[in-house]
Amino acid sequence: MEHILGKDWTITPAGGSTGEAYYAHSERKRLFLKRNSSPFLAVLSAEGIVPKLVWTKRLENGDVITAQQWLEGRELSPEEMKHPRVAKMLSKIHHSSELLDMLMRIEVNPINPNQMLASLKQQIKEDGVTNARIEIHQALKYLDRMTPYINSNHQVVCHCDMNHNNWLLSNDDQLYLIDWDNARVGDPAMDIGTILLEYIPEDEWDDWLDHYGATKDQHLLNRMYWYLIVRTITYYIWNGQKGKNKEAAHQLNELKRLIKKVN
């Protein structure tokens, strides 16, 4: 990274799971650098969804380095996810034709529920511990039964990681959604369901959805819970394989709660 900016810059790792993000600062300027970030970062920047993209450079080895404006601010707290601004911004993202057009160019196949379920079953089959759990079999029965009813004709850009840590509020009161590495074209219920289940009390779902611009109905709920169950099993398998037993136990408890809810 140092040879890109020059000797006047100090570059330090910014953390994160990929290890590909960095903070860079000189006497006059500060930047957020990332290696091989989402190809449609420029559109996200133009729409005001992420901090301003300053420049993009391609290295000789093919890697692409992006530099974004480094803003002073903080991540949202779990409680702040209830705020109408979160709902309205997610709605803006889901209704952006510019984002959808760009992601469709690089993401040829939108998420297909049948393919998702087939892939999940293969993961479960290959993981002996997961395959033996009765909760997994209960969940699969539900997923099989509901798959014909969860298809949505409304395909949008989904962020697919609605953790409150990815929502940033700058000191000048601008809200941003960062970390787009997992973005896919699919059912908006994937993003909506995560926020509602993890951050919004159920008796406030109608209000939150009203700010988003949607109405709570059985079709939306079915889609939400279907994707949540798939995601929870996927995380359970991943944590188990990584030896993260505490996290895996948490995901199993979440799965039990979801199964009880849908039944």
Side-chain angles (χ1 to χ4, degrees):
M1 285 288 183
E2 286 76 6
H3 69 278
I4 298 174
L5 295 173
K7 62 182 181 180
D8 296 332
W9 289 81
T10 300
I11 301 174
T12 55
S17 58
T18 63
E20 301 286 357
Y22 306 86
Y23 293 126
H25 65 89
S26 65
E27 288 186 2
R28 294 173 297 173
K29 199 168 186 179
R30 292 183 293 178
L31 297 171
F32 176 76
L33 307 179
K34 193 164 186 181
R35 189 190 305 270
N36 297 330
S37 66
S38 174
F40 71 126
L41 188 63
V43 182
L44 293 166
S45 172
E47 297 257 320
I49 294 166
V50 299
K52 183 179 178 181
L53 179 64
V54 180
W55 50 254
T56 300
K57 295 183 180 180
R58 182 176 292 277
L59 305 183
E60 291 182 359
N61 65 359
D63 286 350
V64 175
I65 307 299
T66 54
Q68 289 175 263
Q69 183 182 13
W70 182 358
L71 298 174
E72 295 292 342
R74 60 176 178 81
E75 62 192 33
L76 293 188
S77 68
E79 179 69 19
E80 288 173 321
M81 294 293 286
K82 300 178 183 179
H83 198 282
R85 289 180 67 181
V86 172
K88 291 176 181 177
M89 184 164 178
L90 185 61
S91 180
K92 173 185 175 180
I93 292 166
H94 285 171
H95 290 88
S96 170
S97 58
E98 290 80 8
L99 283 180
L100 182 60
D101 289 343
M102 177 58 75
L103 194 56
M104 285 291 284
R105 294 178 196 173
I106 57 178
E107 176 63 56
V108 179
N109 297 314
I111 291 177
N112 180 294
N114 289 295
Q115 293 173 347
M116 284 183 72
L117 184 55
S119 176
L120 181 67
K121 287 180 177 179
Q122 185 62 33
Q123 292 179 58
I124 293 170
K125 183 179 179 181
E126 294 172 357
D127 190 286
V129 176
T130 302
N131 199 28
R133 300 220 60 112
I134 189 169
E135 296 89 352
I136 301 297
H137 288 276
Q138 292 173 335
L140 284 179
K141 286 180 64 177
Y142 171 80
L143 294 174
D144 277 327
R145 185 173 78 250
M146 295 303 297
T147 299
Y149 305 105
I150 61 101
N151 282 304
S152 171
N153 295 324
H154 188 35
Q155 297 286 298
V156 305
V157 169
C158 295
H159 182 273
C160 297
D161 189 0
M162 289 282 101
N163 192 296
H164 67 95
N165 297 326
N166 289 327
W167 292 83
L168 301 183
L169 186 66
S170 68
N171 286 354
D172 61 355
D173 200 41
Q174 295 298 309
L175 184 63
Y176 299 100
L177 179 59
I178 63 168
D179 196 356
W180 284 83
D181 293 341
N182 295 319
R184 298 288 301 274
V185 174
D187 190 334
M190 290 190 290
D191 287 343
I192 294 171
T194 302
I195 290 183
L196 291 184
L197 195 75
E198 294 191 6
Y199 299 109
I200 316 297
E202 194 165 347
D203 60 359
E204 297 177 22
W205 283 11
D206 285 324
D207 289 339
W208 193 94
L209 286 168
D210 185 55
H211 291 297
Y212 172 89
T215 303
K216 185 180 73 175
D217 58 27
Q218 195 58 49
H219 186 226
L220 175 60
L221 293 175
N222 288 342
R223 287 150 49 211
M224 281 171 38
Y225 284 120
W226 194 94
Y227 286 111
L228 283 166
I229 288 173
V230 170
R231 189 193 69 159
T232 303
I233 296 174
T234 301
Y235 283 169
Y236 170 72
I237 295 173
W238 186 87
N239 282 312
Q241 291 174 342
K242 296 292 183 180
K244 298 183 177 182
N245 297 328
K246 183 178 179 180
E247 291 85 350
H250 172 73
Q251 294 299 331
L252 190 63
N253 286 331
E254 281 295 298
L255 183 61
K256 292 177 181 178
R257 185 162 71 99
L258 286 167
I259 293 171
K260 184 177 180 180
K261 189 73 177 175
V262 297
N263 287 335

